Amino acid sequence: MSAEMKLEDFKPACESNATKNGLLSKFNMDEILNCMHCGFCLPACPTYRQTGLESYSPRGRIALMKGVAKEQLPIDAEFEKNMFACLGCRACETACPAGVPYGSLIETAREVVVENEKQTNPKHVFVKNLVFKQLFPHPKRMKLLGTALWAAQASGLQSLAAKTGLMRILPREMAEMQQAVDQIASPRERKSRQTRMNPEGNKAYTVGMFTGCIMDVMFYETNQATAKLLSKAGCEIYFVEEQACCGALHAHSGEMPGAVELAKRNIEAFEKANVDYIVNNAGGCGAALKEYHHWFHDDPEWMERALRFVSKVRDANELLAELPPLTFNKPLNARITYQDSCHLAHGQGVRNQPRSLLRSIPGVEFVELKNADSCCGSAGIYNLTNFDMSMDILDDKMEHVKNTKAHYIVTSNPGCLLQMKQGIHRAGLDGQMEAVHIMDLLSRAL
């Protein structure tokens, strides 16, 4: 659809189930109409840069939403394709002079698609059902998954499958992704974690660790490193029981009822904990946690509880930057660059704190990455559902990463970390560069 084409040019669509079910009322027309179609978002949008298609740009997608909301366009397979081709990186929000909340608009559009039962891609349906209903809402199942992955690694099964070519029976996107998975903590190690960690020196705050679902399975050591850093900075740490997945992946994929239920579970769990701050180390999780109140716009009681929860949420980089400086005893003597997590930079506005923390490590030469805040292509499960587009975006990103000649590419989100590990392998940089979470690198320098 061209920028000049007016929605009035389209013939009204036939009455749909969406109209009958009141789905179209979910669209916020005030937010949609705030878009001036100025085009500032175009160069910031990864999918528009890759394709040049107006319907793959933020303003194009908003125009399509307007058409659907006004019943001038149907909720069909084409609308679904355009909405789900978006990475949800929210770089357009940073670029937008009108402050259009594109992130909430795209989530609403996807919710309308899902509820209208127009999911036409069998692979998408299978992946989403597995992720959103069978896996992520169930912490015990996530732990079982972690145990299964650990067993495959510890037994040499994963290595054998890769050497013999057996891995090729997996879908290409999963076969490539497994190469990026590091050694997972053993069940014994995970069970041995204490629920409380004492502060070193004078106590500054009581902190509840939001461990996340993927983080605590695949990046258990990163959660431990984060807790250790905060305790050294004077925080008493609690690993709060009964917490659940943050719901970000559900919300980004239009599965809002599931997202809301997870939010309620987390709000209740941390209310019982009565901590000063709720700290996480995953940019995508943190953005969702800080926006819980938006998920309860029609529920005043939960809105109030969500606002209290949100007021306590901090990214680990944020809180560490506010606390007394850490004392690092191990110079790294390395060149380092930093890849912004989209939801940390664009969603939470946390940009300077990670860079300041990295520069504080003795022996570090910090090199700024060109377009550091452009998406790496991970975007939740985008690298599974839109593999080719994800890899195109990643390969472009790695050209800039190569130019830094860095020893470490550092990020603050688990999905980004896996994607950058995959990018290093695809770019032939194995042995020359390591992708590492910022909390792990800071912990090494202690």
Side-chain angles (χ1 to χ4, degrees), residues 172-183:
R172 181 186 170 202
E173 51 267 35
M174 296 186 73
E176 285 204 22
M177 180 60 68
Q178 62 82 31
Q179 300 176 73
V181 178
D182 283 338
Q183 186 65 43

Side-chain angles (χ1 to χ4, degrees), residues 127-383:
V127 172
K128 288 178 181 178
N129 182 65
L130 175 65
V131 171
F132 301 129
K133 295 181 180 179
Q134 304 303 322
L135 197 57
F136 281 63
H138 306 282
K140 289 183 179 179
R141 293 180 188 176
M142 292 297 293
K143 289 177 182 177
L144 284 173
L145 173 63
T147 299
L149 291 172
W150 168 82
Q153 291 175 333
S155 66
L157 201 61
Q158 183 187 34
S159 178
L160 179 65
K163 289 178 180 177
T164 61
L166 188 60
M167 203 66 73
R168 287 196 292 269
I169 67 172
L170 292 173
R172 181 186 170 202
E173 51 267 35
M174 296 186 73
E176 285 204 22
M177 180 60 68
Q178 62 82 31
Q179 300 176 73
V181 178
D182 283 338
Q183 186 65 43
I184 290 172
S186 69
R188 177 180 295 180
E189 185 178 0
R190 283 185 274 129
K191 286 180 180 178
S192 67
R193 178 164 66 192
Q194 301 298 309
T195 57
R196 178 177 172 274
M197 189 178 291
N198 289 321
E200 293 192 15
N202 295 326
K203 176 181 169 182
Y205 301 113
T206 301
V207 169
M209 273 292 298
F210 187 85
T211 55
C213 43
I214 293 177
M215 283 301 301
D216 222 32
V217 169
M218 301 181 71
F219 301 100
Y220 172 87
E221 295 295 345
T222 304
N223 276 342
Q224 293 301 99
T226 305
K228 182 174 73 172
L229 290 163
L230 289 167
S231 70
K232 283 189 174 293
C235 294
E236 182 180 16
I237 309 297
Y238 283 92
F239 288 91
V240 177
E241 296 182 2
E242 299 179 12
Q243 63 176 288
C245 170
C246 67
L249 289 177
H250 291 73
H252 300 334
S253 300
E255 304 282 344
M256 281 308 299
V260 168
E261 287 306 310
L262 289 168
K264 288 180 178 180
R265 286 166 61 181
N266 286 321
I267 291 169
E268 288 180 333
F270 282 92
E271 281 176 344
K272 294 176 184 176
N274 193 30
V275 294
D276 298 319
Y277 290 112
I278 301 164
V279 176
N280 75 96
N281 53 22
C285 295
L289 297 175
K290 288 181 177 180
E291 294 174 354
Y292 269 4
H293 54 301
H294 293 305
W295 298 2
F296 297 101
H297 56 83
D298 57 352
D299 190 333
E301 180 187 349
W302 276 102
M303 166 78 85
E304 186 177 343
R305 295 172 71 175
L307 284 168
R308 287 196 296 269
F309 178 94
V310 168
S311 69
K312 296 182 177 184
V313 176
R314 296 289 186 279
D315 181 80
N317 291 287
E318 281 184 290
L319 192 55
L320 284 172
E322 295 173 13
L323 291 164
L326 292 164
T327 301
F328 297 108
N329 298 314
K330 183 180 177 183
L332 289 185
N333 300 320
R335 178 183 282 238
I336 292 174
T337 193
Y338 178 72
Q339 159 68 16
D340 286 285
S341 156
C342 292
H343 285 89
L344 188 60
H346 303 300
Q348 302 181 59
V350 177
R351 296 171 180 268
N352 296 328
Q353 297 93 324
R355 289 169 168 82
S356 296
L357 289 168
L358 290 172
R359 288 190 173 102
S360 70
I361 300 174
V364 159
E365 178 188 358
F366 185 84
V367 182
E368 191 62 52
L369 174 64
K370 184 179 179 181
N371 297 333
D373 63 353
S374 68
C375 189
C376 64
S378 173
I381 60 170
Y382 192 91
N383 50 7

